[in-house]
Amino acid sequence: MHPFAYTRVSDIREAVNAGRQGGRYIAGGTTLVDLMRETVERPDSLVDISGLPLHEVTATERGGLRIGALVTMAEAAAHPKVRTLYPVVSQALELSASAQLRNMATIGGNIMQRTRCTYFRDVTAACNRREPGSGCAALEGVNRTHAILGTSDACVATHPSDAAVAFAALDARVHLLGPDGKRQVPFTDFLLRPGNTPQREQAIRQGELITAVEIPALPRPLKSGYLKVRDRQSYEFALTSAAVALHVRGGLIRAAKVAVGGVGTVPWKLPAVERHLIGERPSGALWAAAAEKAADGARPLQHNRFKVELLKRTVERQLRIVGGTK
């Protein structure tokens, strides 16, 4: 680990000023500290923001939910409003990491976490995210767990967050505060596809601080849930996952929200699947037909071709679970 300066702040403006000067924000530290130990990350200065007043889950005036950036994953998953209004978020959080990590890791840190690609974390391997222009060892290497959607010739790493998949499905927004004031970014625009600049992973500016993630009010009744498929059932990242929310009224699907994880360089929204569902009556045949569109545009690699079919089956299964039909 390289030497670094450490500052603890208790005021949001103080934090932003420190961030503007190049300090890296840290709260739970469950990702950043690991990367520092492995010398993947070498910040000169850390700004401890764990004391900032961003620890609340509150209802919005329009009937949505705002989750403070420093709410821990465990707190968010257990919060009555999250569990009642958006069980897909609670389930995604509870299927993430270990209980110990969920008690430390924050919502803001979770969506900012970097890829678990083994080549990214191996400082001897070529990785354009870690060292732009060095290449991508995963393209010709062991790429079984890598992405099939949103990839580029520069990077094929998946985004690791389960909660981010649920937030993407629900059309959440990220609240930011920086030197230029407050702004909001749609969640699907906040996390960036690699393109030719894989080292730029979030649409966040120098010194900006995540203050909250806001889930908008959605039609009621709303049934939702999260399904995670992985090699083992404990402490493992997704091979595929699906976040689904359905609003059914009068026997017809009036609104559908679907996003998947484990297969994309970012949490991957499935608008074609959503369009296929809206206005239709729930049925097994509908779920199967909609799920066929889940892998549209996929570019599988040598070792992860199985993800194409697995993704379709994961989406179909979760549509059946949430939709309540066989």
Side-chain angles (χ1 to χ4, degrees):
M1 185 180 290
H2 288 251
F4 59 90
Y6 173 85
T7 304
R8 183 176 176 87
V9 296
S10 56
D11 176 81
I12 290 179
R13 282 297 174 187
E14 182 185 1
V16 169
N17 287 335
R20 180 171 53 184
Q21 295 169 20
R24 290 287 302 278
Y25 299 129
I26 186 170
T30 56
T31 295
L32 181 56
V33 171
D34 281 348
L35 293 176
M36 290 171 65
R37 286 173 177 159
E38 295 169 357
T39 69
V40 174
E41 294 267 17
R42 303 179 184 184
D44 294 323
S45 174
L46 294 184
V47 182
D48 186 341
I49 60 171
S50 58
L52 298 183
L54 303 173
H55 294 266
E56 294 186 350
V57 178
T58 56
T60 64
E61 292 181 359
R62 296 184 178 181
L65 208 58
R66 183 168 173 164
I67 305 174
L70 295 179
V71 175
T72 67
M73 294 170 64
E75 290 168 341
H79 196 282
K81 288 187 180 297
V82 178
R83 297 187 76 85
T84 301
L85 297 175
Y86 305 106
V88 62
V89 175
S90 286
Q91 292 171 18
L93 289 166
E94 289 172 342
L95 289 170
S96 301
S98 65
Q100 294 91 334
L101 287 174
R102 293 195 299 270
N103 282 328
M104 286 290 295
T106 64
I107 292 298
N110 180 272
I111 64 175
M112 284 289 291
Q113 67 180 297
R114 306 191 72 184
T115 181
R116 263 33 185 206
C117 172
T118 53
Y119 298 109
F120 168 74
R121 289 171 175 258
D122 178 358
V123 294
T124 67
C127 175
N128 289 316
R129 283 189 188 240
R130 191 184 63 250
E131 186 179 347
S134 64
C136 175
L139 286 172
E140 301 298 331
V142 179
N143 45 44
R144 177 177 179 272
T145 61
H146 287 69
I148 61 174
L149 293 164
T151 61
S152 73
D153 291 338
C155 184
V156 293
T158 57
H159 193 275
S161 170
D162 293 295
V165 181
F167 290 143
L170 297 173
D171 297 321
R173 302 180 71 86
V174 180
H175 288 250
L176 300 164
L177 176 65
D180 298 324
K182 298 178 181 179
R183 69 186 182 108
Q184 298 180 33
V185 179
F187 201 88
T188 49
D189 294 335
F190 180 72
L191 298 174
L192 305 177
R193 302 182 194 182
N196 295 321
T197 55
Q199 73 277 9
R200 187 164 183 260
E201 299 174 21
Q202 302 92 13
I204 195 166
R205 300 168 185 165
Q206 182 71 41
E208 279 191 321
L209 177 70
I210 299 173
T211 58
V213 175
E214 182 177 331
I215 305 170
L218 294 170
R220 298 290 167 183
L222 186 75
K223 294 184 65 178
S224 70
Y226 187 73
L227 175 64
K228 183 175 182 177
V229 178
R230 45 191 169 172
D231 285 324
R232 61 172 187 253
Q233 287 301 304
S234 176
Y235 196 40
E236 183 63 278
F237 295 96
L239 290 173
T240 63
S241 66
V244 172
L246 300 174
H247 168 53
V248 181
R249 182 170 54 83
L252 298 178
I253 299 171
R254 308 291 181 174
K257 306 289 184 182
V258 185
V260 292
V263 291
T265 52
V266 294
W268 201 258
K269 281 280 281 183
L270 297 178
V273 173
E274 295 172 346
R275 288 193 297 269
H276 193 88
L277 296 171
I278 293 173
E280 301 294 332
R281 292 187 178 277
S283 71
L286 177 65
W287 308 141
E292 278 297 312
K293 301 178 180 297
D296 287 357
R299 297 175 56 193
L301 302 163
Q302 180 181 0
H303 302 124
N304 68 3
R305 297 183 186 279
F306 71 95
K307 282 193 175 186
V308 174
E309 184 61 28
L310 183 61
L311 172 58
K312 295 177 184 179
R313 295 187 183 192
T314 301
V315 171
E316 180 180 354
R317 180 180 171 188
Q318 188 60 2
L319 286 171
R320 290 176 184 272
I321 292 171
V322 175
T325 60
K326 297 182 179 180

